[in-house]
Amino acid sequence: MRHRPLRRTARGNLPSELSGFIGRGAELAELGGLLEVSRLVTVTGVGGVGKSRLVLAAARSAAEDAREASEAQGAQGAHAPVEERYCDGVWLAELACVRDPALLELTLSEALGLTDHTTRPPRTVLAEHLADKRLLLVLDGFEQLVDETASLVRELLLRSPGLRVLAAGRRPLEVAGERTFPLAPPVPEEALALLEARVSAADPAFAASAADRAALVEVCARLDGIPLALELAAGRLRMLSPAQVLSRLEDRFGLLTGGARGGLPRHRTLRTAIGWSHELCTPAERLLWARLSVFAGQFDLDAAEYVCAGPDMPVEGVLDLVGELLAQSLLVREETAAGVRFRMLETVRLYGAGWLESLGDAVRLRRRHRDWYMGLATWCELDWFSPRQHEVAALVEAELPNLRLALECCLDEPDELHLGQYLAGTLWFYWAGCGRLTEGRHWLDRTLDPPGGQETQYEGSRLKALWVLGYVAALQGDATASMCALYECRDGAARSGNRVAAAYAVHRLGCLALVSDDMARARELLGEALEQYRAAGELNSNVLMCQVELGMALAFLGDLPGALALCGEVREICDERGERWTKAYALYVLAYAALEAGGTQEARRLLTECVEINHAFNDLVGLVLALELLALVTVAEGDPAEAAVLQGAAEPMWGGVGLQLFGSGCFNAPRLMCRERAGEVLGAERYAAYAAEGRELCRESLVVRALRGAARVPRPAGLGGVPGPRVSRSTARADQP
């Protein structure tokens, strides 16, 4: 059968709409027209005017158009003309919680689902990823980083001809070619429809009389139709009649329209609406509003109770107060993978932050916030070695903005730098296990080498940060930085008598030897570290990973019985403890040994579970290793075409892992063997065509295909038996991809 390339399909990360989008039909049409003629469109306007909702509605419309175009092309056949725009998806990057300019590129990478384990600058990674893509990037809330955002957008647009950007902010980016779209409040009819819809959603039994409707019309007029102000008013209509709401607005309108001389009227109106909501709150509700402003992004009830409670706010009363703020639309409730969480709209949060500063309580609340997230990170590290690994990963992912804020708090106070080192080190499982090496390196470098070069006397915290830095740098392929950190950790541990830190330093030096292809040295160091762990009574995911890495070194050296014994024991412990992340690497070694012994069916079964686990944790290192070994298994099963597809799909991942790091010697063997064996049957041209098909697969589609392969009936290809993956190192190095 003739090879036919796989079509790309539109995809993205747009959130589902929680409440209906009311009106704005004319604005949507005009915005869509601007996107047709300009590669950068920025929607501007006062906070609360509805910029975010409008750009999200426009983005959903663009994504739907791309999906329909893809489906239409599929129905017409492979030779139908393809609608190219946004065939690589529509992606949202929310920037409101980003304060550190160094995290801007990382935030965009995360939004795009881009994982990179190398030491390349994140901007370079972004530009290379987007260079040949055709997608729409939506940026929301960039005001606090307008210069940095403008610089990044300018470079990406220059280097990515298929990229279009739709931004929402209070001011333009002022990038060449930008088309601005100043957004005014909705027309009176739409404003009234929005208010009535929100009131009905809050109280389905609400039925407006003629007098009520007249009062609602006047409320809309008083609030200039600003959507955020109307949302706040709708929250009050749960308790007050329309006439009462209007009366209270009138009472405070003159008092609360103050502000900076010469300010825009709508800015004063918005402050009126928020100030009016503040006036209607009880003293306890106002206090909680101010204290909740210390959170970045989402937070849960436990965090709110710890951070905000005190002698003037009993912890048992926080729940009811949160409920009141929620009823008044001052808080938003969201269902997430980490459970029910709450969030303040940025404009509302900033108003509360101003009150917190005026109360003189901001510093104390920031420290309480930091202390909570120090405790959260400590608990998560302990709970990582349990059946709750996936829940821990989801929780840390949800809390990342707050953890960043806690790290910044530590860095702001030189006397508490040791807390930052502890926090950055404690999150090792997230940096290494969930595809966050670049961000982990950012925080570890900052806490270990802060501006001004402050020294810390808290040796334990520094030692932990050092071995974690050595681990992260090794996985990034930065051998020099890794060795420097690990030797400093080892020497410091020897001086202080810290046996556990010493074991971690030796372990990670062994890990560095392993990924550097020095298997004999890796065997020596990893064996030594394992003995030190056992002597210290240490048992966790790191210790088990040390045992797996020792097994991997033995397997690559040809000692398959030794590797099977070590990794079989790890598998049993992981099953007993519910540990999954380390288990995936043990399964990889067991599959390698099974394939060496000719057990392709067993190897496939092991690798299927390995791929599933690594994908769930976004562990790119483990995933690409497993996929390449799975491709070799597929060759051994007699399906070289499918093997070429899998191999072609895995190859681009090495750009994110670090080709120089894992691209030679033993780690390269499965790729070389697959290419050689499949190429012998298919021929160079057909192999290249199938590999090109694989390169078009997104990661999710690739994983689905790899997992589905377990039930696939192999296609005879006349290969016969296929040797195991072991090759000589000279062969591996001579045939670099």
Side-chain angles (χ1 to χ4, degrees), residues 16 214 230 274 281 381 406 421 435 490:
S16 58
L230 298 179
I274 299 177
C281 287
E381 182 188 30
Q421 294 169 349
R490 187 192 63 180

Side-chain angles (χ1 to χ4, degrees), residues 22 556 561:
I22 308 296
F556 290 154

Side-chain angles (χ1 to χ4, degrees), residues 427-459:
L427 291 169
W428 67 265
F429 61 92
Y430 185 63
W431 312 139
C434 301
R436 297 281 188 164
L437 292 179
T438 305
E439 176 150 3
R441 180 72 181 271
H442 169 78
W443 291 113
L444 290 161
D445 283 340
R446 287 190 65 188
T447 58
L448 286 167
D449 189 19
Q454 307 103 291
E455 294 293 332
T456 175
Q457 59 181 340
Y458 295 86
E459 193 71 17

